[in-house]
């Protein structure tokens, strides 16, 4: 009897070794919307940003604060246009974003009510063509509003949250603390618009996704690639500032902004190639991670 009572104790859940908590699966990489307009503009958009940076470079060197303020609305407009045309809003798939699901009104329109007296007689004949146009207009408005609302929310969160955070990061990475404060804030606003607008638009406020963003562990796509490219470009752009070349364009934050714009364009395009799309940055070899799990 002792052996019979011991076996269920060994197999009981309390005595089994503790298993590692199941991690939440990562969200897949974001695809550009399948419409031809979205695919074409996703390639044109980086070129437009580089053109804006090139055309206004001399004015930026002459008066950085004034030029940064003047270019900020144009950059915001281009970024909002990009997310509206090319990206699915948070909580949707590319197919749903391109073709909104029919509402209850449309389902009822497809199956009109029948009268009890005859199967082929409708209760309210009216003007079916007019009703179809009205319902189509409602669907179009709902689809546009479903994309406009996340776009304006992403723009608001970019200015209210991302800009102060990036301004602090610029100071921590060597930007002047007691001087050039307007330049620091405006530079942070430009970088925030480049890297955070699309991230907020497609991912919302999903905490797990943002942990991946801050941990640099997102799978490569057009959105994450452009954000990572912006950060790396700004970091490399700071290299010429302390050099003793005595050039006017070395003043803070000109080279940082130019590097951010170039990094955005390069990251947005390269991350969509088969070589990088869906890949992650690995800081620890996979074999080492598997070995650590086995030992634990």
């Amino acid at each position: 009897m002792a052996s019979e009572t011991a076996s269920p104790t060994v197999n009981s859940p309390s005595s089994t070794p503790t298993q590692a908590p199941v991690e939440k699966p990562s969200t897949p990489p974001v695809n550009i919307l399948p419409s031809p307009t979205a695919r074409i503009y996703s390639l044109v958009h980086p070129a437009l940003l580089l053109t804006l940076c090139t055309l206004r470079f001399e004015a930026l060197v002459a008066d950085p604060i004034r030029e940064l303020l003047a270019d900020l609305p144009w950059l915001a407009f281009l970024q909002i246009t990009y997310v509206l045309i090319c990206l699915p809003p948070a909580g949707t798939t590319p197919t749903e974003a391109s073709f909104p699901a029919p509402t209850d009104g449309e389902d009822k329109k497809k199956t009109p009510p029948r009268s009890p007296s005859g199967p082929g007689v409708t209760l309210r004949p009216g003007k079916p063509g007019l009703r179809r146009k009205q319902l189509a207009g409602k669907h179009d408005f709902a689809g546009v509003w479903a994309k406009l609302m996340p776009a304006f929310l992403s723009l608001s969160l970019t200015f209210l949250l991302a800009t102060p955070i990036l301004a602090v990061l610029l100071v921590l990475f060597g930007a002047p603390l007691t001087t050039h404060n307007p330049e620091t804030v405006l530079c942070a606003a430009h970088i925030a618009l480049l890297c955070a607008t699309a991230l907020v638009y497609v991912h919302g406020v999903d905490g797990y996704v943002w942990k991946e963003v801050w941990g640099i562990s997102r799978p490569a796509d057009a959105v994450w690639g452009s954000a990572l490219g912006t950060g790396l470009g700004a970091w490399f752009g700071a290299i010429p500032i302390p050099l003793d070349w005595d050039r006017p364009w070395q003043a803070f934050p000109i080279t940082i902004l130019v590097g951010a714009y170039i990094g955005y364009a390069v990251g947005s395009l390269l991350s969509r190639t088969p070589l990088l799309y869906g890949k992650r940055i690995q800081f620890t070899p996979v074999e080492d991670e598997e070995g650590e799990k086995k030992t634990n």
Side-chain angles (χ1 to χ4, degrees):
M1 295 297 293
S3 61
E4 294 178 356
T5 56
S7 57
T9 307
V10 174
N11 296 329
S12 62
S14 59
S15 61
T16 56
T18 58
Q19 297 180 354
V22 179
E23 295 183 357
K24 179 181 176 182
S26 174
T27 56
V30 178
N31 292 315
I32 300 296
L33 294 179
S35 66
T37 303
R39 297 200 175 272
I40 293 173
Y41 186 76
S42 65
L43 300 176
V44 173
H45 180 70
L48 289 177
L49 292 179
L50 291 179
T51 302
L52 175 65
C53 181
T54 303
L55 293 178
R56 306 307 302 172
F57 181 75
E58 293 184 1
L60 180 64
V61 174
D63 192 347
I65 296 178
R66 181 178 179 180
E67 188 59 31
L68 289 175
L69 278 174
D71 292 342
L72 200 60
W74 291 105
L75 177 59
F77 173 76
L78 289 175
Q79 290 298 92
I80 288 296
T81 303
Y82 169 68
V83 300
L84 288 175
I85 295 177
C86 301
L87 300 177
T92 64
T93 61
T95 304
E96 293 173 350
S98 301
F99 308 101
T103 59
D104 294 339
E106 186 174 0
D107 294 337
K108 294 178 181 178
K109 177 195 70 175
K110 293 180 180 178
T111 57
R114 307 289 182 178
S115 64
S117 58
V121 181
T122 58
L123 291 175
R124 297 180 61 187
K127 295 181 178 180
L130 179 60
R131 290 201 300 272
R132 282 196 294 268
K133 291 180 180 179
Q134 292 175 349
L135 290 173
K138 291 180 180 179
H139 299 333
D140 294 340
F141 177 77
V144 171
W145 179 251
K147 300 193 73 175
L148 280 177
M149 191 63 180
F152 286 117
L153 285 176
S154 64
L155 190 63
S156 301
L157 292 176
T158 296
F159 280 115
L160 295 177
L161 296 179
T163 300
I165 292 174
L166 288 174
V168 173
L169 288 178
L170 285 174
V171 172
L172 292 177
F173 276 93
L177 178 61
T178 57
T179 61
H180 298 78
N181 293 328
E183 289 90 339
T184 301
V185 174
L186 290 172
C187 179
H190 277 253
I191 296 177
L193 282 172
L194 289 172
C195 66
T197 306
L199 282 173
V200 178
Y201 182 79
V202 298
H203 297 303
V205 291
D206 189 343
Y208 188 81
V209 174
W210 285 99
K211 286 181 180 179
E212 289 184 330
V213 170
W214 288 109
I216 318 180
S217 58
R218 286 286 306 155
D221 54 37
V223 177
W224 171 235
S226 60
L228 185 60
T230 301
L232 291 176
W235 185 69
F236 281 110
I239 294 176
I241 293 179
L243 301 179
D244 56 351
W245 295 344
D246 296 330
R247 296 291 190 270
W249 50 265
Q250 287 182 262
F252 174 81
I254 297 171
T255 57
I256 294 177
L257 277 174
V258 173
Y261 274 82
I262 296 175
Y264 177 93
V266 174
S268 176
L269 297 176
L270 287 182
S271 58
R272 297 172 57 185
T273 61
L275 181 64
L276 297 178
Y277 180 79
K279 304 293 180 61
R280 299 173 186 270
I281 298 177
Q282 294 287 345
F283 293 101
T284 304
V286 179
E287 297 179 355
D288 295 347
E289 292 181 355
E290 293 178 353
E292 292 178 0
K293 291 180 180 178
K294 291 180 180 179
T295 55
N296 293 333

